[in-house]
Amino acid sequence: MVNALTEEVRVRYAPSPTGFLHIGNARTAIFNYLFARHAGGKFIIRIEDTDQKRNVEGGEESQLTFLKWLGLEWDESVDVGGEYGPYRQMERLDIYKKYWKELLDKGLAYKCYCTPEELKAEREEQMASGHTPGYSGKCRHLSEEQIAHYEAEGRKPTLRFRIPGDQKIEFDDIVKGHVTFDSSAVSDFVIVKQNGVPTYNFAVVIDDHLMKMTHVLRGEEHISNTPKQILMFRAFGWEPPTFGHMTLIVNENHKKLSKRDNSIVQFIEQYKNMGFLPEALFNFITLLGWSPKGEEEIFSREEFIKLFDADRLSKSPAMFDKSKLEWMNGQYIKKMSKEDYVQMTLPYMVNAGLIPAEMTDEQRDWATRVVLLYQEQLHFGADIVNLCDMFFNKDVVKTDLTKDEQKILEGEQVKDVLSVFDRELRALTEWTAEAIAPKIKVTQKETKQRGWKLYMPIRVIATGSAHGPELPEALELLGRDLVLKRLENYLSTEQTV
RNA sequence: AGGGCGUUGGGCAAGUGGUUAAGCCAAUGGAUUCUCAUUCCAUGAUCGCGGGUUCAAUUCCCGUACGCCCUCCCA
């Protein structure tokens, strides 16, 4: 016998391949992973593919690929094997069969010949008359004759679990505390579909038992499935695992995040494509419904493993806060090495058509310097394209002035500043930030303008924008030709006014 | 309709039966900087509502409102 105290923790993430890995999936996986690693236990991934109609091509692969990308590793699954396989439910049909036959033999399950249409009509009637929807139990006590009759009609039965009446179902939920249900609230549910494939509520019990799961951490939407599953564990005489139901993640409308919800970017792949870093996403997602003790917000995977404590899971729903995600990703971007940062951002520039895929060394150096200008403020990779916009606008004449820009150019010192600066720049033999910077100083001395009044007119006219990175380097990267043309254009047109 | 769960500033969220209810994001104001950004400082909640227990409740109990989830031959 294994001592309960030394029993190894075993938890699982059990996705159905009906879609790609999204935020909610990832969180469930991460929490299970953290829980297992913190306890020195095992983390298993089991594929729950019993709904063949909804399975999507590539769903399973997406789950594993992006979990890996997020930095998770697992001990047993379809790809790495393990001693409790197979880990894909459709490959376990024979196993399930043995158990549902047992229930049938014991009279704990029965055949139901109702058609989906009949059940639907029944449900609608119940709803309309204000009753609680649920299976009526019509086929609970079919006679041999009736069964023969249905069979003769060619009906194929489903198998339903016989819910015992008047039972209290109680469990201590890691997150929610003591939860109580009455078996009367649960109606006889289908455990094997017409096509012979078990339903979720049946397969999950068999698998969790056979795979020796000690804890089940899942989304709160499963809390009302728990009494069904506990009843099933009881029917087999098995010890149920310890349950923990994590709060839902909701959108800005306080609705559960669903795959079809377009108000929030859902899929991990999309975040990857937008240039979010796996460490940042991991960090952010882990803080959705869980919080550590102190005041820190930024943690590495290793720190989370050390800190993770299921007692600190929150009971109330977590809202997905996109701006916080962006902030957090920005924190990670700031910490990247220059090399990694450049390697991450340049492809976005190429994709946007701002720079060619094949570059000369000179072009590459230039693009690298441009991109590097924004490391401090970039929130996610794809945003670099917007940030460095001014380096790709070659217009000599500035049109559509904003209010701020108009105000800047209205200053009486503007022409003076720009003409002096223009003259100084033209005298330059070398076009570098180091050479340009002193020329601003010269302009300052000669015009007696400084600060805002000195820099802003130069910035607006030479760069075409009131905002941007450090002026000398910006001017260098913009290039001598463009800058001088813009100054010339401004000064000549101003004179004619 | 029934069952379950939840409710702390705009969004998260810590926390405690008892003088000033952490922190993060956002917003606003300010400092620094040529601007944006960065950095720093500042600003804001009587803890859904009502009642009860208690010397004392945001923290315990009851009720109520609101919200969400489930009630599928989905998982």
Side-chain angles (χ1 to χ4, degrees):
Chain A
M1 264 317 269
V2 181
N3 183 319
L5 290 172
T6 59
E7 187 183 24
E8 180 183 54
V9 164
R10 290 175 60 81
V11 295
R12 76 328 192 257
Y13 165 60
S16 68
T18 54
F20 306 124
L21 188 73
H22 63 90
I23 301 285
N25 293 147
R27 190 192 56 157
T28 303
I30 287 174
F31 283 178
N32 276 286
Y33 166 81
L34 255 18
F35 186 83
R37 289 289 176 268
H38 179 80
K42 293 281 192 285
F43 174 58
I44 291 101
I45 294 180
R46 181 175 71 223
I47 305 294
E48 309 212 326
D49 53 353
T50 55
D51 186 350
Q52 296 179 287
K53 273 174 256 157
R54 298 196 197 185
N55 288 347
V56 301
E57 184 78 23
E60 176 183 315
E61 195 195 339
S62 164
Q63 295 282 338
L64 299 182
T65 303
F66 290 101
L67 248 21
K68 220 171 266 173
W69 180 73
L70 281 172
L72 302 206
E73 322 150 317
W74 41 92
D75 304 296
E76 299 167 28
S77 187
V78 290
D79 56 344
V80 295
E83 55 177 311
Y84 299 95
Y87 292 90
R88 210 177 268 116
Q89 290 188 322
M90 286 308 283
E91 293 168 13
R92 300 171 63 79
L93 260 24
D94 288 344
I95 299 173
Y96 303 129
K97 191 172 180 180
K98 178 182 158 213
Y99 290 98
W100 60 252
K101 280 202 156 157
E102 184 184 331
L103 290 180
L104 199 56
D105 289 345
K106 288 184 179 166
L108 295 171
Y110 60 90
K111 292 177 179 176
C112 170
Y113 288 89
C114 298
T115 63
E117 294 73 31
E118 287 167 354
L119 293 169
K120 197 180 167 205
E122 187 178 292
R123 214 168 15 247
E124 278 167 5
E125 209 178 296
Q126 288 165 333
M127 297 281 256
S129 61
H131 292 284
T132 304
Y135 180 62
S136 65
K138 201 157 124 194
C139 297
R140 252 193 161 195
H141 305 288
L142 291 181
S143 66
E144 292 296 325
E145 262 179 7
Q146 286 168 308
I147 290 178
H149 178 73
Y150 280 134
E151 292 281 348
E153 273 183 4
R155 292 200 187 198
K156 282 234 169 79
T158 61
L159 231 52
R160 284 186 187 270
F161 184 64
R162 202 184 291 277
I163 301 290
D166 287 337
Q167 277 202 31
K168 277 260 179 287
I169 303 141
E170 303 182 50
F171 59 97
D172 289 302
D173 191 283
I174 295 175
V175 181
K176 306 288 186 182
H178 195 74
V179 181
T180 310
F181 285 89
D182 195 288
S183 66
S184 64
V186 186
S187 62
D188 295 352
F189 59 94
V190 173
I191 58 175
V192 182
K193 304 179 225 182
Q194 239 175 28
N195 63 4
V197 177
T199 60
Y200 162 76
N201 275 309
F202 179 70
V204 77
V205 168
I206 306 299
D207 290 345
D208 283 343
H209 173 73
L210 294 180
M211 294 181 180
K212 294 194 162 56
M213 295 301 153
T214 56
H215 303 259
V216 170
L217 293 182
R218 67 210 329 185
E220 190 180 302
E221 70 268 24
H222 285 293
I223 203 161
S224 38
N225 283 322
T226 308
K228 296 179 186 175
Q229 293 166 18
I230 288 179
L231 250 16
M232 189 88 62
F233 277 106
R234 283 186 194 166
F236 284 111
W238 297 334
E239 187 68 26
T242 301
F243 293 98
H245 290 93
M246 303 178 292
T247 64
L248 266 9
I249 302 173
V250 296
N251 64 20
E252 279 111 346
N253 299 317
H254 299 275
K255 291 267 200 286
K256 174 183 154 188
L257 236 50
S258 93
K259 289 169 203 159
R260 285 170 293 277
D261 188 344
N262 292 322
S263 68
I264 284 172
V265 176
Q266 300 268 353
F267 298 104
I268 301 302
E269 180 170 17
Q270 293 173 295
Y271 285 100
K272 175 177 185 259
N273 292 343
M274 283 191 287
F276 282 86
L277 305 174
E279 298 82 7
L281 265 177
F282 188 104
N283 192 151
F284 177 75
I285 291 173
T286 305
L287 262 20
L288 244 29
W290 181 82
S291 62
K293 236 187 201 128
E295 298 177 355
E296 295 294 310
E297 299 275 331
I298 307 288
F299 296 99
S300 68
R301 193 162 52 105
E302 289 68 28
E303 287 170 320
F304 273 129
I305 289 173
K306 203 188 277 181
L307 287 171
F308 192 77
D309 175 358
D311 289 342
R312 298 185 67 85
L313 283 164
S314 156
K315 288 184 179 189
S316 51
M319 187 173 286
F320 188 88
D321 184 348
K322 186 179 164 231
S323 68
K324 189 162 179 176
L325 202 212
E326 291 187 2
W327 166 79
M328 190 171 280
N329 200 57
Q331 299 297 307
Y332 279 85
I333 287 178
K334 274 187 224 182
K335 287 191 284 191
M336 290 175 94
S337 70
K338 285 185 180 183
E339 291 72 26
D340 289 346
Y341 170 81
V342 169
Q343 204 181 344
M344 175 192 69
T345 46
L346 286 187
Y348 290 101
M349 308 278 282
V350 173
N351 274 343
L354 297 181
I355 55 175
E358 300 295 328
M359 286 181 279
T360 63
D361 286 352
E362 199 183 343
Q363 284 175 314
R364 177 171 291 279
D365 287 345
W366 179 81
T368 297
R369 288 184 61 192
V370 166
V371 140
L372 242 14
L373 253 17
Y374 298 97
Q375 183 165 2
E376 285 296 305
Q377 58 189 287
L378 188 68
H379 282 143
F380 55 96
D383 203 32
I384 188 67
V385 172
N386 304 317
L387 283 177
C388 66
D389 181 53
M390 66 173 241
F391 288 100
F392 300 91
N393 178 2
K394 305 287 186 200
D395 293 345
V396 172
V397 183
K398 169 91 178 145
T399 53
D400 295 338
L401 290 173
T402 66
K403 276 202 176 133
D404 285 348
E405 289 161 355
Q406 273 173 25
K407 200 180 158 204
I408 289 161
L409 296 182
E410 275 164 11
E412 52 190 23
Q413 89 292 1
V414 171
K415 213 172 83 186
D416 198 19
V417 166
L418 290 176
S419 55
V420 172
F421 188 57
D422 176 69
R423 187 195 69 213
E424 290 299 317
L425 284 188
R426 283 174 200 280
L428 276 179
T429 52
E430 189 195 357
W431 189 261
T432 63
E434 293 70 30
I436 292 167
K439 295 304 185 187
I440 299 178
K441 292 291 174 198
V442 171
T443 308
Q444 173 179 336
K445 270 193 187 137
E446 192 168 330
T447 63
K448 304 235 175 4
Q449 299 295 338
R450 57 195 181 95
W452 195 83
K453 288 188 164 181
L454 170 69
Y455 280 86
M456 289 310 281
I458 297 176
R459 177 177 287 286
V460 171
I461 294 305
T463 74
S465 168
H467 309 299
E470 291 284 321
L471 206 39
E473 187 158 15
L475 295 186
E476 179 194 338
L477 293 172
L478 236 20
R480 179 178 191 136
D481 274 4
L482 223 209
V483 170
L484 291 182
K485 267 187 203 153
R486 281 173 172 169
L487 286 168
E488 183 187 9
N489 171 269
Y490 176 81
L491 291 168
S492 62
T493 54
E494 278 303 292
Q495 267 156 7
T496 62
V497 168

